[in-house]
Amino acid sequence: MASVPNVCGGGWAETKAAYRLLDNARLDFREVLRAHSVPTLERIRQQSRVLCLQDTTELDYSGRPSMAGLGRLNYEQRQGLYLHPTLVISEAGVALGVTDCWHWARLPKGEPDLAESLRWVEGYERVAEMAALAPDTRLVYVADREGDLRALIDRAEQLGFAADYLIRVRHDRKLNDPLDGKLRAAVEAQPVLGTIAFDLPASGNRPARQVTQTIRLARVELKTRSGPGPQVTVILAREEAPPEGQEAVEWCLITNEKITTLEQARARIEWYRKRWWIEVYFRILKSGCRIEALQLRTRERLERALVLYLIVAWRILMLMTLGREHPEWCCEVVFSVEEWQTAWAIHHRTPPPATPPDLGAIVRIVAGFGGWLGRKNDPPPGPKALWQGMTKLSAYVEAVTAIRAAEIKFPQRKRIRH
């Protein structure tokens, strides 16, 4: 993944064609994403439940005065856009597709602007609309603390909870009870229902370790000015005894669902932990696809390029997650015949087999092209190895296709005897 000229390996003619595509005013980026949503919906319909992950990331294009249509980021000198997609994954964690994306540029300070919180409420509305198209699948809207908005909770109730929500608490809201109690105090007063244990991966200066959390539940009614308020279940998962020098891992979550058992609570915590996949997705977009390195002159060009890269980044994430969850599947569920046969021939230095190998084998080969060593104790291939491997595989396939098309036969070199 690189700049447009680098991706267009055919030379200036292909580069010009790519720029004409991005300049085509008739190419509506929404239609491109909608076309991707059609097969995504089919994948959703094959699941009993899916998680719709939403989050926001900033795209920094500072130092590009020639790019029109940018807005300020956290301060005026930093210019760029904000991106807020909906990434859909299965309960097992397989990336199924991208179904929606908000992106916007902030206006200069002092000018009237749209409330950015709308992206969370509209995001839920799009998920609710999708739920109507997959009636046999239960959709769950999953968001971090920024999505803890009363407007979203109220809108979900107005729509009859067409989709469930699971949101990390940011605001300690008042409750509709005679004592005007608060949400956190209500759940902390409950007895411990049980525990959950999981492995926490390393991050920055934090080492990998096992975490054990206690679980408490409370069903509460949020305060309104008059009449009954929306009812939510609060789940408090708290690490009571973290290692010395380590911050305790604690999550307070709310959901519209009535949760009463330990197993139900554990399942919701596992869903929330899978929210991390959208962070991995953003890393693929920025470090793999390098969307912040795009040298495009207008916002319209950028929007069309972004939606194409959203789909490319999803394919890398899908390849990684599917390879972990279903390595026994046939590789042709993901790879074209040309891709897996080329990968096999280059890696093994033998003709490809008549029967397609399993997905896990080809994923490991492609990751090897990207630098994954595959030693006995190595973790499964990550996004960096896969996007670098897929970039090389694309070049290999192009070379093999060109050789076959031109029927090029390389002469055998004579062995020189000394």
Side-chain angles (χ1 to χ4, degrees):
M1 315 298 172
S3 65
V4 173
N6 285 340
V7 170
C8 299
W12 179 235
E14 284 193 9
T15 301
K16 286 196 296 184
Y19 280 125
R20 282 198 297 269
L21 175 68
L22 298 179
D23 270 333
N24 186 352
R26 292 179 295 177
L27 178 64
D28 187 338
F29 72 88
R30 299 174 189 84
E31 291 300 324
V32 176
L33 189 57
R34 201 167 290 127
H36 168 69
S37 297
V38 172
T40 298
L41 181 60
E42 289 305 311
R43 289 186 284 270
I44 289 171
R45 287 171 173 160
Q46 295 171 18
Q47 307 291 323
S48 59
R49 181 184 279 108
V50 298
L51 311 178
C52 303
L53 314 180
Q54 289 198 5
D55 205 353
T56 304
T57 190
E58 62 178 29
L59 304 180
D60 189 351
Y61 296 103
S62 302
R64 317 275 176 81
S66 60
M67 188 182 290
L70 300 179
R72 62 183 175 86
L73 296 177
N74 56 342
Y75 54 89
E76 292 290 345
Q77 287 72 25
R78 295 185 68 237
Q79 296 285 298
L81 298 174
Y82 285 93
L83 192 70
H84 185 90
T86 301
L87 174 68
V88 182
I89 67 171
S90 70
E91 275 192 275
V94 175
L96 302 177
V98 182
T99 59
D100 184 34
C101 185
W102 254 59
H103 59 266
W104 73 97
R106 285 177 176 169
L107 296 178
K109 281 187 176 180
E111 294 189 22
D113 211 341
L114 285 174
E116 293 180 4
S117 59
L118 282 175
R119 68 189 185 273
W120 297 96
V121 180
E122 287 199 7
Y124 177 85
E125 291 174 345
R126 299 294 83 78
V127 170
E129 290 170 1
M130 189 165 52
L133 302 176
D136 295 328
T137 305
R138 193 62 186 168
L139 278 64
V140 184
Y141 176 99
V142 183
D144 211 0
R145 284 175 286 201
E146 199 177 353
D148 181 17
L149 301 167
R150 182 59 185 268
L152 191 155
I153 295 170
D154 291 341
R155 186 60 176 147
E157 188 172 41
Q158 291 166 7
L159 295 175
F161 303 114
D164 297 319
Y165 60 76
L166 181 67
I167 303 170
R168 188 173 178 183
V169 171
R170 181 182 184 183
H171 305 289
D172 193 10
R173 303 183 186 279
K174 287 186 176 182
L175 304 182
N176 226 5
D177 65 30
L179 299 177
D180 267 353
K182 288 197 171 183
L183 183 147
R184 286 192 66 94
V187 70
E188 287 176 346
Q190 301 302 311
V192 172
L193 194 63
T195 62
I196 183 173
F198 55 86
D199 293 325
L200 187 70
S203 177
N205 295 326
R206 185 192 69 199
R209 62 184 174 89
Q210 188 178 68
V211 172
T212 299
Q213 294 176 319
T214 57
I215 299 175
R216 292 176 170 86
L217 290 178
R219 186 72 176 172
V220 299
E221 183 179 307
L222 301 183
K223 189 175 181 62
T224 57
R225 292 182 179 178
S226 61
Q231 292 192 348
V232 300
T233 300
V234 191
I235 306 171
L236 179 61
R238 173 187 287 162
E239 186 180 25
E240 304 288 353
E244 185 177 353
Q246 296 290 317
E247 185 178 353
V249 178
E250 179 178 312
W251 300 316
C252 187
L253 311 174
I254 58 171
T255 176
N256 60 290
E257 295 184 277
K258 292 181 179 179
I259 306 301
T260 58
T261 69
L262 178 61
E263 288 307 311
Q264 290 173 332
R266 282 175 175 164
R268 273 69 189 171
I269 294 167
E270 289 297 330
W271 297 350
Y272 178 75
R273 290 183 60 220
K274 288 182 173 62
R275 195 204 67 85
W276 176 248
W277 283 123
I278 199 166
E279 304 290 351
V280 176
Y281 180 69
F282 289 151
R283 195 161 75 239
I284 295 171
L285 276 172
K286 294 183 179 184
S287 299
C289 299
R290 299 185 61 210
I291 58 175
E292 292 177 309
L294 292 172
Q295 301 284 340
L296 301 172
R297 293 183 179 274
T298 67
R299 179 176 169 180
E300 290 73 24
R301 270 187 176 184
L302 183 60
E303 286 174 340
R304 297 181 187 111
L306 284 177
V307 74
L308 296 175
Y309 280 115
L310 284 172
I311 298 169
V312 171
W314 159 76
R315 191 190 182 205
I316 298 297
L317 185 60
M318 181 267 294
L319 182 62
M320 183 178 76
T321 54
L322 196 60
R324 292 182 181 189
E325 294 298 327
H326 299 288
E328 76 285 358
W329 284 9
C330 173
C331 67
E332 290 188 354
V333 301
V334 175
F335 295 96
S336 68
V337 174
E338 293 79 11
E339 285 175 332
W340 76 257
Q341 287 186 348
T342 299
W344 181 280
I346 290 175
H347 177 74
H348 290 286
R349 299 290 194 269
T350 61
T355 302
D358 62 47
L359 178 61
I362 300 302
V363 167
R364 290 190 294 272
I365 289 174
V366 172
F369 295 157
W372 183 70
L373 299 178
R375 295 166 296 192
K376 184 177 180 180
N377 294 322
D378 282 349
K384 184 176 181 180
L386 284 171
W387 77 58
Q388 291 180 345
M390 286 298 293
T391 301
K392 288 186 178 180
L393 179 59
S394 177
Y396 296 154
V397 171
E398 187 175 355
V400 169
T401 303
I403 290 169
R404 287 174 176 169
E407 296 184 349
I408 299 173
K409 294 184 179 180
F410 295 99
Q412 294 286 333
R413 292 182 62 186
K414 292 184 178 179
R415 187 175 180 181
I416 300 174
R417 295 180 179 275
H418 294 283

